[in-house]
Amino acid sequence: SRELELKSTLRELVIYIVFLTDLCILAFSMVSTDMYYLNEVMSRVFLEPSSEDDGSGFRSIRSRADFWRFAEGPLLDGLYWEKWYNNKTSTLQNNNSHIYYENLLLGVAQIRQLKVRNNTCSVHPYFHAVLEGCYSEYHYRAEDRSDFGLRNESEWKYTSASSLSPWYWGSMGLYSSGGFMFTLPKSKQESVEKLVFLRQNSWLTRGTRAVFIDFSTYNANINLFCIIRLVVEFPATGGALTSSQICSVKLLRYITYYDYFLAFCEITFCLFIITFIIQETLQIAKLKKEYFRRAWNWLDLLLLVVSILAIAFNIYRTVKVSLLMEKLLSDAHVYPDFYFLAFWQVLYNNMIAVNIFFAWIKIFKYIRFNKTMAQLSSTLSRCAKDIIGFAVMFFIVFFAYAQLGYLVFGSQVEEFSTFQNCIFTQFRIVLGDFNFESLEAADRILGPIYFITFVFFVFFVLLNMFLAIINDTYSEVKADFEVIPSQELQIRNLFRQSCNKALVKLKLKKPETDTNPEDENLE
């Protein structure tokens, strides 16, 4: 009956709200405002130039000489805090540095570089007599792993990385985790001497394509690790490009009472997932092929898959942290590779974020009896074919303009430097965010023509067609729903009856007396 269906839907909604509350507690416990402020503090120390900066800041690196100027100056000043604000020498506990006097530098910093071999690109015969070497862009097959320079220390010998170590996706390529690497000493003076020695012996060569600076800190006040990676890429075009990754994560868990409450929420989440798996398995066995014809069932399966992956990532990360933490902190003169642990922590956070997104979308499944929601779903389902046909026409025009913009402005305008940037830039133009002056400066004829025609056809014509399709379909659906009795009245009556029964059982309200026969005849 309809009443049983409504009762079942409401019961499922109440249970699902409990599950969603538990998931929200887990999701929002992983992030805090302290993470943002810690990342901001570290970026100010190592990325932003100081008031006394003479062009040696990280973001001002434009050549190999600038890199050495930054490494010997601002980098070491940020890593080794040996004096207080009044220039008094600070007493370092166990010879450990505390960045901003609060963030303990774990172990030492590591610097590594990746190189490519000579003659890894093709040179035209006209220039064979002029050019002695040719170094291509970085890719794994062109990587140089042979010893060079003095060949007596680890910085002159290639070191392979673990197969599980994550690669780095930079501005110019995807870089492996191996390379020629060395660590900085615990003393600032010794670090300066080592960097000067490497600079004088040409540690950076023409084949150098990327340099990575890695170090980690721990703030006991807020129980957060901060893993920092500064990257300088030297493309085949010459010059240098800088990028960075500053990630604050909570690796040590179950310390406070609130952490144990979160552990209870994690166990509850796992029990919910097991229950949902059993429920969906029974439905698949009962409905068989009919089960996969409903869109909501696909959303349920997607939510379960993402939840299972999140649980697997959490277990793997917890086990790895417990196994590696003591090993990484055992020797203060060795670089502790927390980047691997931070990578899995961020992956887990992203998985939970995707999970909670689909979990909130699933609420529409339980409130579909609402008139407004029913009209919305009916409108989208009824105009789906028209929207698909319109999307084909829209993207044909959209990609045609993207190719035109890439070919005409790609070599001069940053927003059109890649085909991917062209697509994002055109979406920004549709939203009103554009830089017309750069287009006009790149080409005074095709620039204005491209901009005016794109805005006219895409913004004024195609987008209004899209709105017209939805508007017409919504008008039809609204007219159809006016002759259908609303289910919201049934929901209200069901709630009223349930509340009355609960009040009677609690003796807060007298049971309703039966009506007289005369009243029934009168009615």
Side-chain angles (χ1 to χ4, degrees):
S1 66
R2 195 65 180 172
E3 183 178 352
L4 289 176
E5 183 182 354
L6 292 175
K7 286 184 178 180
S8 176
T9 303
L10 291 176
R11 190 185 306 113
E12 292 180 4
L13 177 59
V14 172
I15 296 174
Y16 187 75
I17 288 177
V18 176
F19 165 75
L20 188 59
T21 303
D22 181 75
L23 181 58
C24 289
I25 293 174
L26 292 178
F28 289 100
S29 65
M30 300 183 306
V31 295
S32 66
T33 310
D34 294 330
M35 292 183 177
Y36 168 76
Y37 288 126
L38 183 57
N39 293 342
E40 188 70 13
V41 164
M42 292 301 171
S43 65
R44 288 176 182 175
V45 174
F46 296 100
L47 303 183
E48 297 181 4
S50 61
S51 57
E52 302 176 356
D53 184 34
D54 55 351
S56 59
F58 177 74
R59 288 175 175 162
S60 62
I61 295 177
R62 296 294 180 268
S63 63
R64 290 170 174 79
D66 292 340
F67 168 79
W68 289 115
R69 194 177 299 114
F70 164 76
E72 297 171 15
L75 175 63
L76 298 184
D77 294 338
L79 288 176
Y80 302 98
W81 289 63
E82 298 178 347
K83 292 185 179 181
W84 289 88
Y85 58 88
N86 54 6
N87 288 328
K88 289 186 178 180
T89 303
S90 61
T91 304
L92 301 179
Q93 184 178 4
N94 297 328
N95 200 25
N96 293 324
S97 174
H98 291 74
I99 301 175
Y100 270 121
Y101 314 111
E102 300 292 345
N103 302 280
L104 172 64
L105 178 64
L106 301 177
V108 293
Q110 175 185 271
I111 301 178
R112 69 181 176 95
Q113 69 160 320
L114 289 173
K115 301 169 54 183
V116 294
R117 299 187 304 273
N118 192 5
N119 299 322
T120 50
C121 51
S122 302
V123 180
H124 197 276
Y126 291 162
F127 294 92
H128 282 172
V130 180
L131 299 177
E132 297 181 356
C134 178
Y135 297 86
S136 67
E137 298 178 352
Y138 177 85
H139 52 88
Y140 187 70
R141 294 183 178 179
E143 188 175 322
D144 187 5
R145 301 179 180 86
S146 58
D147 300 346
F148 74 106
L150 302 181
R151 305 171 184 265
N152 56 351
E153 298 291 341
S154 61
E155 54 262 33
W156 309 101
K157 299 179 180 180
Y158 185 85
T159 303
S160 300
S162 172
S163 58
L164 296 177
S165 298
W167 289 24
Y168 181 80
W169 191 0
S171 302
M172 302 299 297
L174 185 64
Y175 300 98
S176 66
S177 302
F180 302 88
M181 58 188 69
F182 67 93
T183 57
L184 296 177
K186 298 286 289 185
S187 169
K188 181 178 181 180
Q189 183 60 35
E190 294 179 1
S191 299
V192 172
E193 294 174 357
K194 185 163 189 174
L195 290 174
V196 171
F197 173 78
L198 293 175
R199 173 171 55 83
Q200 293 176 347
N201 288 274
S202 302
W203 187 68
L204 297 182
T205 65
R206 283 186 58 193
T208 301
R209 286 292 172 260
V211 178
F212 300 85
I213 304 173
D214 296 295
F215 54 94
S216 305
T217 65
Y218 175 69
N219 191 312
N221 302 332
I222 52 179
N223 189 27
L224 287 179
F225 289 82
C226 188
I227 291 84
I228 303 171
R229 168 167 286 184
L230 308 179
V231 184
V232 183
E233 299 176 69
F234 300 98
T237 58
L241 301 174
T242 60
S243 59
S244 61
Q245 275 189 349
I246 301 178
C247 180
S248 296
V249 293
K250 185 178 180 180
L251 297 178
L252 297 177
R253 309 176 66 191
Y254 313 125
I255 298 177
T256 63
Y257 291 110
Y258 181 70
D259 293 334
Y260 288 107
F261 169 72
L262 293 179
F264 171 76
C265 292
E266 291 176 350
I267 296 174
T268 305
F269 176 77
C270 294
L271 295 177
F272 268 114
I273 295 303
I274 294 174
T275 305
F276 291 156
I277 291 175
I278 297 174
Q279 180 181 355
E280 296 302 319
T281 303
L282 294 176
Q283 288 190 12
I284 293 175
K286 180 180 179 180
L287 301 177
K288 296 181 180 180
K289 293 183 179 180
E290 187 67 24
Y291 175 88
F292 298 99
R293 295 178 181 177
R294 301 177 183 177
W296 291 115
N297 293 337
W298 282 102
L299 181 60
D300 292 339
L301 292 178
L302 181 62
L303 184 61
L304 286 178
V305 171
V306 176
S307 299
I308 293 172
L309 290 177
I311 294 173
F313 282 145
N314 189 24
I315 295 174
Y316 179 80
R317 175 194 56 96
T318 304
V319 172
K320 279 294 183 181
V321 168
S322 60
L323 292 177
L324 296 179
M325 186 64 67
E326 185 177 356
K327 179 181 177 182
L328 292 175
L329 300 178
S330 59
D331 191 351
H333 297 274
V334 177
Y335 163 70
D337 189 7
F338 283 95
Y339 185 81
F340 174 77
L341 300 178
F343 173 80
W344 284 101
Q345 176 66 38
V346 171
L347 195 61
Y348 169 73
N349 294 354
N350 295 340
M351 196 64 62
I352 287 291
V354 174
N355 195 3
I356 200 170
F357 170 79
F358 288 116
W360 277 101
I361 296 298
K362 189 181 175 181
I363 290 184
F364 290 118
K365 174 182 178 180
Y366 300 106
I367 61 175
R368 63 183 184 274
F369 49 76
N370 179 268
K371 184 178 180 180
T372 304
M373 297 308 305
Q375 288 179 355
L376 175 61
S377 60
S378 299
T379 301
L380 295 178
S381 60
R382 188 175 296 187
C383 67
K385 293 183 179 179
D386 295 333
I387 290 179
I388 292 174
F390 166 80
V392 173
M393 178 179 62
F394 174 83
F395 283 108
I396 288 175
V397 177
F398 192 83
F399 284 121
Y401 271 99
Q403 295 178 25
L404 174 64
Y406 175 63
L407 296 175
V408 176
F409 314 113
S411 60
Q412 302 182 51
V413 182
E414 181 182 0
E415 289 80 2
F416 293 86
S417 57
T418 64
F419 187 74
Q420 181 181 2
N421 288 348
C422 291
I423 296 175
F424 293 143
T425 301
Q426 290 187 162
F427 278 117
R428 290 171 54 191
I429 292 176
V430 171
L431 297 175
D433 181 15
F434 55 86
N435 186 0
F436 177 75
E437 289 78 8
S438 62
L439 297 179
E440 188 179 21
D443 195 309
R444 295 189 178 275
I445 298 177
L446 292 180
I449 293 176
Y450 163 84
F451 179 79
I452 293 174
T453 56
F454 176 79
V455 171
F456 176 77
F457 285 110
V458 175
F459 184 77
F460 289 108
V461 178
L462 295 180
L463 288 185
N464 283 288
M465 287 179 60
F466 174 74
L467 296 176
I469 292 173
I470 296 181
N471 189 29
D472 292 343
T473 307
Y474 179 74
S475 300
E476 297 175 1
V477 171
K478 190 174 182 181
D480 294 342
F481 268 75
E482 289 179 354
V483 298
I484 300 176
S486 176
Q487 300 178 10
E488 295 181 5
L489 295 177
Q490 301 179 22
I491 296 295
R492 293 172 186 171
N493 293 333
L494 184 61
F495 271 118
R496 190 180 298 111
Q497 294 175 8
S498 301
C499 291
N500 289 334
K501 291 179 180 179
L503 292 175
V504 170
K505 290 182 178 180
L506 295 174
K507 296 181 180 182
L508 298 176
K509 183 179 180 181
K510 294 182 179 181
E512 297 181 359
T513 58
D514 296 335
T515 57
N516 295 326
E518 296 180 358
D519 295 338
E520 293 180 356
N521 294 334
L522 181 62
E523 185 178 358

